[in-house]
Amino acid sequence: VQLQASGGGWVQPGGSLRLSCAPSRITFDYYIIAWFRQAPGSQREWVSCSSNRDDRPVYADSVKGRFTMSRVYANYTWDLQMDGLKPEDTAVYYCAASRRYWCSASVDEYASWGQGTLVTVSQ
C-alpha cells in the first residue's frame, strides 16, 4: 500500500486547512485509514481514523469538534478538514493504512505510511 498525503501549509489561528490522503494498491476487502501528527520533539500522536466498512470516523479528544475526516469517493481520497486551528495543532501530519477491521490509535498497528505534510498554525 502506498499513501500520498497533501494539503499542508501555514494558517493563522482560527483558520482552516484540508488535508488529503490518496492510497493506492489497496486490495484488501477491509482496512482502516488514520491520520497521525508529530510535533517537533514529540511522539507521533493519533488524530483520527476511519474504516472502509462504515465511514464512521473517530477522533482524538484534542481535535474532536474541530476536525472532520471523510472519504471523498470522487477523488478516491480520505480527507481531513481542520477548522478552528490552534498553534498546538502545528505538526507534520501523516496518513497511515492498516488491514484491520476496527480502528486503532496505536502507531504500531499501521504498516503503511505516507510521507507527511507540514501544518503550521501561527500569527
Side-chain angles (χ1 to χ4, degrees):
V1 177
Q2 294 182 338
L3 301 162
Q4 182 73 29
S6 62
W10 172 82
V11 66
Q12 291 184 330
S16 299
L17 280 175
R18 187 177 184 92
L19 307 183
S20 288
C21 177
S24 62
R25 302 182 184 177
I26 293 185
T27 58
F28 312 138
D29 52 348
Y30 59 87
Y31 60 91
I32 57 174
I33 298 289
W35 286 95
F36 287 80
R37 65 187 182 186
Q38 188 166 18
S42 300
Q43 292 186 335
R44 195 163 295 189
E45 173 192 20
W46 173 74
V47 173
S48 67
C49 176
S50 188
S51 165
N52 73 315
R53 297 178 298 107
D54 58 18
D55 290 345
R56 293 182 180 179
V58 289
Y59 303 93
D61 287 344
S62 59
V63 306
K64 198 173 295 182
R66 299 187 298 121
F67 290 12
T68 303
M69 183 176 179
S70 62
R71 187 177 185 181
V72 182
Y73 287 88
N75 299 334
Y76 194 52
T77 60
W78 295 79
D79 290 2
L80 184 68
Q81 176 67 37
M82 306 185 295
D83 300 316
L85 283 162
K86 305 175 181 179
E88 51 264 43
D89 295 318
T90 295
V92 176
Y93 283 70
Y94 300 89
C95 62
S98 178
R99 190 175 183 272
R100 284 179 55 91
Y101 207 72
W102 304 107
C103 273
S104 171
S106 172
V107 170
D108 295 335
E109 294 292 345
Y110 294 85
S112 301
W113 292 83
Q115 81 287 5
T117 183
L118 177 62
V119 171
T120 304
V121 185
S122 67
Q123 292 288 354

